[in-house]
């Protein structure tokens, strides 16, 4: 996809400036093409048939009525679908909850490519799932894909899908997680980590504590609801496949679908110029990509498959339920002596997914004795997956709520308690921080919020009949960089063309990458044409885990610097250039014009260079990788969240009139888009604290509130003032451009800050999200 604007007058360096989105006009005028909007001739439409039981087998599927609907082309079932040579084979039987992986019937674990660590990017892009792509008759959750109808129109396909009649062999499903058996300890495998991590002696630390708190915190099952549902358009040309896909990871989709069909990756091209929100659910492939490709090959015409909103619940993941027990011990002056954080989360009977809710606990505060542990229970639901700040969003709710409880037990200011246990280096690894401005975050947010006006006793602040509460929490998220590539070309008209196989998921990647390239080249952003979103471009990581700014940004910077260097060398070696013979290090480039300090009044331009080069563009390709700093430093972003709530004492209505934040996330590439990321995360945090919960019928395993009418998310009326600020701290240990990433951290700490404010207002501690009326009455 080409993003280009006509040249404008030169301007000053743009990095960090609140440049308007270069793709904004396309989006508001309908010119931005999303996956389902590509115009492909002779396209057919597919609709998935989903199961209506939570566990068992499909005994038979009567498709006769469906096949009689006008326009129906083909109905696929587990009994008629072609066998895919590379699709992972599910076990011979939907795994029994009590059998477990040890008996051979358990989930096949996810296989990932990438580095170690605890976040989506470092955990690696999803490269394989155990798919439900009609390769067996097993049913493992209610809503699982068990059939596919292809017709000439979407309406015909949908009508026919409703007419498919399914007979099941029922088996007892496990829906209630409180009665589900724990996985054996040896079968709990957090991505990139260990089930149990211990340093020091926690029992001794607790025994020596003057004050302890020990409580359990619960977060519910939640589901992604991006504006754009998952969609795929599959088109074959011979044995080559093109997928127009709504995804955060074009490379992982390409690799997985190629493997399913027994193809080499070069035979599959994935295109995603725009993705209408993903938040983790589109971080890797699911069933629908393979189903669309399978159908397109069988009916010998392009096939478009768009999930319904209900099908967003189950088939494409969500945030699992967690039960987290946090025990803290401290001396009378607030010095932590011990931290124990045990987290139990749900997964499906298809895959083992562990929500990494304890990762921040091992590094956020200085403490000599720390123990974290994961446990896992399998229930008959869809497989969980990444959901904005996976682990840290749920984990900071538990840890930061516990820290607030400890502060009250000590009669100590919550900010002072955190500063008392401020970690000057990473307590887990012992490595120095690549940068850390958390003290400054506390100070900035507290001052702007007016924290000094807080009276410490619960129920001590009022505005008329409304109870007023102040709460705060710490925010954190790992900073990571992955290998990435880019290609840059200087064109005869003096504009630059830059490509990288990354994704635009709404964060402003087109804009920030244009700014990076422009500043590195010495030209205006309007003179940069940045392209992304296709696997025929240099490979980049999935847009997950806040890695795009650090990874793709570094690649774009490096390739632009390399192109600039090549052009400078071309100028000083060209006898026709006014800069011929100049020293390379003396050459400066501003607004596309090259000058050298020792050659007053003489200059050259990129456009003139290209003309003298026979009008042939000059091109450079770069593969950028993290350096040794990744092993030498601990890399994290930090922040502080301060919240005011108003609670009706009789009706327990909770309002959030204002939230004030400060974040230290490395260099800000674009002030406007960075602020949007934080605001979006905070809004989601309000939903996490007060509204979001996926409800499942305990009798059938059916997702009850699988639509935007019943799955509650914040609307404008729910959101008050969000005051954001950044502590500028360019961190070139993390990335060449100094950025750490800003997409995930905005949600972390928000739910705890709200819960802590609710306690301050009411004197009632709510340890289970969401904070509903009945939990306060």
């Amino acid at each position: 996809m080409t993003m280009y604007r006509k040249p404008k007058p030169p301007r000053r360096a743009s990095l960090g400036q609140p440049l308007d989105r270069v793709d904004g006009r396309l989006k508001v005028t309908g010119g931005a093409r999303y996956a389902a909007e590509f115009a492909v001739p002779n396209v057919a439409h597919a609709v998935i048939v989903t199961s209506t039981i939570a566990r068992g087998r499909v005994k038979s599927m009567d498709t006769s009525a469906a096949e009689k609907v006008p326009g129906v082309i083909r109905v696929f079932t587990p009994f008629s679908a072609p066998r895919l040579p590379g699709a992972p084979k599910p076990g011979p039987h939907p795994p029994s909850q009590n059998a477990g992986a040890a008996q051979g019937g358990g989930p096949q674990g996810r296989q990932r490519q990438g580095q170690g660590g605890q976040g989506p990017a470092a955990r690696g892009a999803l490269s394989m799932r155990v798919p439900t792509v009609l390769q067996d008759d097993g049913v493992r959750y209610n809503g699982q894909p068990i059939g596919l109808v292809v017709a000439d129109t979407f309406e015909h396909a949908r009508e026919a899908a409703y007419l498919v009649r399914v007979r099941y062999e029922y088996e007892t499903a496990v829906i209630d997680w409180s009665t589900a058996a724990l996985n054996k300890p040896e079968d709990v495998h957090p991505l990139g980590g260990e089930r149990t991590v211990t340093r020091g002696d926690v029992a001794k630390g607790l025994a020596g504590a003057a004050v302890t708190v020990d409580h359990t915190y619960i977060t519910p099952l939640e589901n992604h609801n991006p504006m754009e549902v998952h969609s795929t358009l599959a088109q074959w040309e011979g044995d080559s496949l093109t997928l127009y896909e709504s995804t955060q990871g074009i490379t992982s989709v390409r690799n997985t679908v190629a493997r399913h069909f027994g193809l080499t990756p070069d035979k599959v091209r994935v295109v995603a110029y725009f993705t209408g929100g993903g938040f983790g659910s589109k971080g890797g492939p699911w069933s629908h990509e393979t189903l669309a490709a399978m159908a397109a090959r069988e009916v010998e015409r392009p096939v478009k498959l768009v999930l319904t909103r209900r099908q967003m619940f189950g088939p494409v993941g969500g945030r699992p339920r967690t039960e987290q027990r946090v025990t803290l011990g401290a001396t009378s002056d607030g010095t932590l002596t011990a931290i124990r954080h045990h987290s139990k989360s749900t997964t499906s009977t298809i895959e083992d997914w562990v929500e990494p809710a304890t990762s921040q606990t091992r590094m956020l505060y200085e403490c000599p004795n720390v123990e974290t542990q994961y446990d896992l229970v399998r229930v008959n639901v869809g497989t969980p997956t990444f959901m904005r700040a996976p682990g840290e969003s749920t984990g900071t709710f538990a840890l930061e709520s516990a820290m607030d409880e400890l502060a009250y037990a000590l009669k100590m200011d919550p900010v002072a308690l955190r500063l008392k246990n401020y970690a000057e280096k990473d307590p887990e690894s012992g490595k120095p921080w690549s940068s850390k401005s958390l003290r400054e975050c506390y100070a900035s947010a507290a001052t702007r919020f007016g924290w000094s006006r807080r009276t410490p006793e619960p129920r001590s602040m009022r505005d008329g009949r409304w109870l007023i509460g102040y709460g705060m929490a710490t925010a954190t998220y790992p900073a990571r960089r992955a290998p990435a590539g880019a290609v840059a070309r200087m064109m005869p008209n003096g504009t630059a063309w830059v490509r990288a196989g990354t994704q635009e998921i709404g964060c402003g990647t087109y804009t920030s990458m244009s700014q990076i390239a422009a500043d590195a080249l010495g030209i205006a952003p309007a003179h940069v044409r940045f392209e992304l979103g296709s696997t025929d471009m240099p490979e980049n990581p999935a847009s997950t885990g806040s890695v795009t700014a650090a990874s793709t940004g570094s690649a774009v910077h490096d390739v632009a610097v390399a192109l600039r260097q090549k052009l400078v060398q071309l100028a000083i070696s060209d006898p026709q250039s006014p800069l011929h013979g100049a020293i390379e290090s003396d050459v400066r480039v501003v607004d596309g014009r090259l000058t050298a300090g020792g050659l007053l009044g003489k200059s050259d331009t990129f456009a003139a260079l290209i003309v003298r080069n026979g009008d042939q563009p000059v091109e450079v390709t770069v593969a950028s990788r993290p350096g040794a700093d990744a092993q030498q430093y601990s890399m994290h972003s930090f922040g502080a969240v301060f919240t005011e709530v108003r609670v009706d004492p009789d009706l327990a209505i909770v309002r959030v009139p204002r939230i004030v934040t400060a974040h230290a996330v490395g260099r800000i590439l674009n002030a406007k888009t960075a602020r949007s990321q934080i605001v979006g995360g905070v809004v989601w945090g309000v939903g996490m604290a007060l509204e979001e919960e996926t409800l499942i019928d305990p009798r059938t395993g059916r997702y009850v509130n699988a639509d935007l009418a019943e799955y509650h998310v914040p609307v404008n009326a729910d959101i008050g003032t969000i005051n954001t600020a950044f502590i500028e701290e360019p961190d070139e240990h993390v990335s060449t451009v100094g950025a750490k990433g800003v997409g995930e951290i905005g949600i972390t700490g928000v739910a705890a800050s709200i819960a802590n404010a609710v306690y301050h207002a009411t004197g009632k501690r709510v340890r289970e999200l969401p904070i509903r009326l009945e939990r306060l009455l």
Side-chain angles (χ1 to χ4, degrees):
M1 182 68 177
T2 297
M3 298 306 309
Y4 177 64
R5 298 190 301 179
K6 292 182 179 180
K8 293 182 178 179
R11 52 169 293 164
R12 63 191 177 93
S14 67
L15 204 57
Q17 297 300 314
L19 189 70
D20 290 343
R21 292 176 183 253
V22 299
D23 54 339
R25 181 174 294 276
L26 286 176
K27 288 183 173 179
V28 299
T29 60
R33 286 181 295 171
Y34 293 81
E37 297 177 328
F38 282 87
V40 176
N42 197 35
V43 67
H45 297 262
V47 170
I48 293 175
V49 178
T50 59
S51 66
T52 56
I53 68 168
R55 184 164 182 252
R57 290 184 179 280
V58 176
K59 292 180 66 176
S60 66
M61 295 180 70
D62 182 356
T63 63
S64 57
E67 291 167 345
K68 294 176 183 177
V69 173
V72 168
I73 300 167
R74 183 86 173 266
V75 180
F76 297 91
T77 72
F79 311 105
S80 65
R83 301 302 95 177
L84 301 178
K89 302 301 187 291
H93 188 272
S96 166
Q97 183 62 36
N98 296 319
Q103 296 187 24
Q108 299 181 37
R110 296 186 181 188
Q111 296 181 0
R112 295 177 183 274
Q113 55 189 16
Q115 306 167 29
Q118 288 277 340
R123 296 166 194 147
L126 187 60
S127 61
M128 185 190 80
R129 298 181 188 272
V130 180
T132 47
V133 289
L134 312 185
Q135 298 300 288
D136 78 332
D137 59 5
V139 176
R140 297 160 180 86
Y141 65 93
N142 196 317
Q144 173 187 313
I146 58 171
L148 188 72
V149 176
V150 182
D152 59 347
T153 68
F154 169 73
E155 290 77 14
H156 287 155
R158 181 176 59 180
E159 179 185 355
Y162 289 147
L163 297 176
V164 175
R165 296 293 174 257
V166 185
R167 293 179 62 238
Y168 298 100
E169 177 183 307
Y170 292 83
E171 298 182 31
T172 302
V174 177
I175 306 299
D176 184 354
W177 86 314
S178 65
T179 62
L182 288 173
N183 259 27
K184 294 181 178 180
E186 61 268 24
D187 295 329
V188 179
H189 304 289
L191 296 170
E194 300 294 330
R195 173 182 178 258
T196 303
V197 177
T198 302
R199 71 172 181 265
D201 187 332
V202 171
K204 183 177 179 180
L206 290 173
V211 176
T212 62
V213 295
D214 183 357
H215 297 291
T216 297
Y217 306 87
I218 295 173
T219 63
L221 180 68
E222 299 170 2
N223 273 87
H224 308 80
N225 273 288
M227 291 180 67
E228 180 200 29
V229 295
H230 291 242
S231 53
T232 299
L233 197 163
Q235 182 177 30
W236 290 87
E237 294 182 14
D239 63 349
S240 294
L241 171 65
T242 298
L243 290 173
Y244 300 94
E245 168 68 3
S246 176
T247 182
Q248 297 170 243
I250 55 177
T251 300
S252 58
V253 170
R254 178 199 66 185
N255 294 346
T256 299
V257 173
R259 182 166 50 248
H260 287 177
F261 287 89
L263 301 172
T264 56
D266 62 289
K267 291 291 187 180
V268 179
R269 180 185 178 219
V270 178
V271 176
Y273 296 142
F274 293 95
T275 295
F279 312 107
S281 70
K282 298 174 183 175
W286 295 93
S287 300
H288 57 277
E289 296 96 346
T290 296
L291 289 174
M294 177 184 72
R297 189 175 67 173
E298 293 299 306
V299 304
E300 299 182 330
R301 59 190 287 189
V303 169
K304 180 187 296 185
L305 197 167
V306 179
L307 299 192
T308 65
R309 181 61 61 177
R310 170 166 285 280
Q311 290 168 353
M312 296 289 291
F313 289 71
V316 292
R319 202 189 302 278
R321 180 181 174 95
T322 73
E323 180 182 278
Q324 304 174 58
R325 181 178 178 183
V326 180
T327 307
L328 304 178
T331 60
S332 57
D333 69 351
T335 302
L336 287 169
T337 61
I339 304 174
R340 179 184 289 133
H341 187 171
H342 288 189
S343 176
K344 180 175 70 173
S345 61
T346 54
T347 189
S348 71
T349 61
I350 305 171
E351 300 180 37
D352 289 333
W353 167 268
V354 180
E355 176 79 354
T358 72
S359 55
Q360 75 289 319
T361 303
R362 298 191 295 271
M363 50 66 61
L364 192 50
Y365 298 112
E366 187 63 51
C367 182
N369 308 298
V370 177
E371 176 186 290
T372 64
Q373 181 174 295
Y374 294 110
D375 281 302
L376 198 62
V377 295
R378 294 193 216 139
V379 289
N380 289 106
V381 297
T383 300
T385 192
F386 306 118
M387 191 165 176
R388 199 169 195 168
E392 283 78 10
S393 54
T394 49
T396 54
F397 166 65
L399 177 64
E400 291 300 288
S401 294
M403 286 291 286
D404 197 65
E405 299 206 50
L406 180 62
Y408 278 98
L410 290 163
K411 300 186 185 306
M412 189 173 185
D413 183 274
V415 177
L417 175 63
R418 288 162 173 82
L419 289 171
K420 182 71 175 178
N421 297 282
Y422 193 88
E424 300 291 353
K425 62 180 180 180
D426 187 334
E428 182 179 16
S429 67
K431 297 177 182 178
W433 305 111
S434 60
S435 62
K436 183 178 182 181
S437 302
L438 180 55
R439 289 184 191 276
E440 292 82 352
C441 290
Y442 288 141
S444 171
T447 299
R448 288 162 31 240
F449 180 81
W451 183 254
S452 61
R453 298 194 299 269
R454 170 184 177 269
T455 56
E457 295 79 14
R459 298 182 73 93
S460 62
M461 298 176 67
R462 283 181 175 265
D463 180 8
R465 66 186 309 276
W466 288 91
L467 300 171
I468 306 299
Y470 285 3
M472 61 81 57
T474 306
T476 187
Y477 197 77
R480 304 183 180 89
R481 176 183 170 189
V487 58
R489 181 185 297 169
M490 184 60 66
M491 307 301 289
N493 63 355
T495 62
W497 172 90
V498 184
R499 306 179 92 204
T502 185
Q503 301 78 207
E504 167 57 72
I505 60 174
C507 303
T509 303
Y510 279 118
T511 307
S512 60
M513 296 304 135
S514 296
Q515 291 176 268
I516 291 171
D519 280 10
L521 281 166
I523 62 178
H527 295 171
V528 175
R529 183 180 71 197
F530 181 71
E531 299 180 2
L532 56 74
S534 177
T535 52
D536 59 6
M537 300 176 182
E539 185 172 327
N540 276 249
S543 297
T544 58
S546 297
V547 301
T548 300
S551 306
T552 304
S554 292
V556 168
H557 173 273
D558 292 350
V559 78
V561 168
L563 178 59
R564 171 175 166 163
Q565 182 179 21
K566 189 171 182 177
L567 290 164
V568 169
Q569 292 170 349
L570 184 64
I572 64 179
S573 63
D574 181 1
Q576 299 183 57
S577 172
L579 302 185
H580 179 249
I583 299 173
E584 183 178 337
S585 59
D586 288 344
V587 178
R588 301 289 179 266
V589 184
V590 178
D591 295 329
R593 182 171 295 276
L594 296 81
T595 61
L599 298 171
L600 297 177
K602 295 184 177 181
S603 65
D604 206 345
T605 66
F606 287 149
L609 276 171
I610 301 301
V611 170
R612 294 196 302 271
N613 195 45
D615 275 342
Q616 295 301 309
V618 177
E619 182 174 305
V620 174
T621 300
V622 163
S624 178
R625 294 182 175 276
D629 286 358
Q631 285 72 48
Q632 296 170 356
Y633 294 91
S634 181
M635 302 176 177
H636 292 261
S637 294
F638 294 94
V641 184
F642 287 74
T643 300
E644 177 185 332
V645 301
R646 302 165 68 88
V647 183
D648 185 297
D650 299 318
L651 302 178
I653 297 171
V654 179
R655 295 286 182 258
V656 184
R658 63 190 182 106
I659 296 177
V660 176
T661 72
H663 290 89
V665 291
R667 176 174 280 119
I668 300 302
L669 302 181
N670 181 300
K672 183 179 292 186
T673 58
R675 180 185 180 276
S676 293
Q677 286 296 293
I678 295 297
V679 169
V682 170
V683 169
W684 199 332
V686 173
M688 182 179 182
L690 301 178
E691 300 180 34
E692 289 196 50
E693 180 178 15
T694 301
L695 302 174
I696 295 180
D697 189 325
R699 302 162 300 174
T700 65
R702 190 74 170 167
Y703 292 88
V704 175
N705 56 336
D707 55 54
L708 288 175
E710 299 297 333
Y711 186 91
H712 294 165
V713 296
V715 297
N716 286 343
D718 297 320
I719 303 301
T721 300
I722 300 175
N723 186 316
T724 66
F726 293 105
I727 308 300
E728 188 79 6
E729 50 162 25
D731 192 334
E732 294 184 3
H733 297 301
V734 174
S735 66
T736 307
V737 292
K740 291 182 174 180
V742 71
E744 313 275 349
I745 194 173
I747 190 175
T748 69
V750 177
S753 180
I754 293 172
N756 295 340
V758 167
Y759 174 75
H760 181 236
T762 65
K764 293 185 179 181
R765 179 69 65 175
V766 180
R767 302 186 181 96
E768 181 174 358
L769 298 181
I771 302 172
R772 296 198 299 254
L773 301 180
E774 66 270 23
R775 291 173 177 154
L776 284 174
L777 290 172

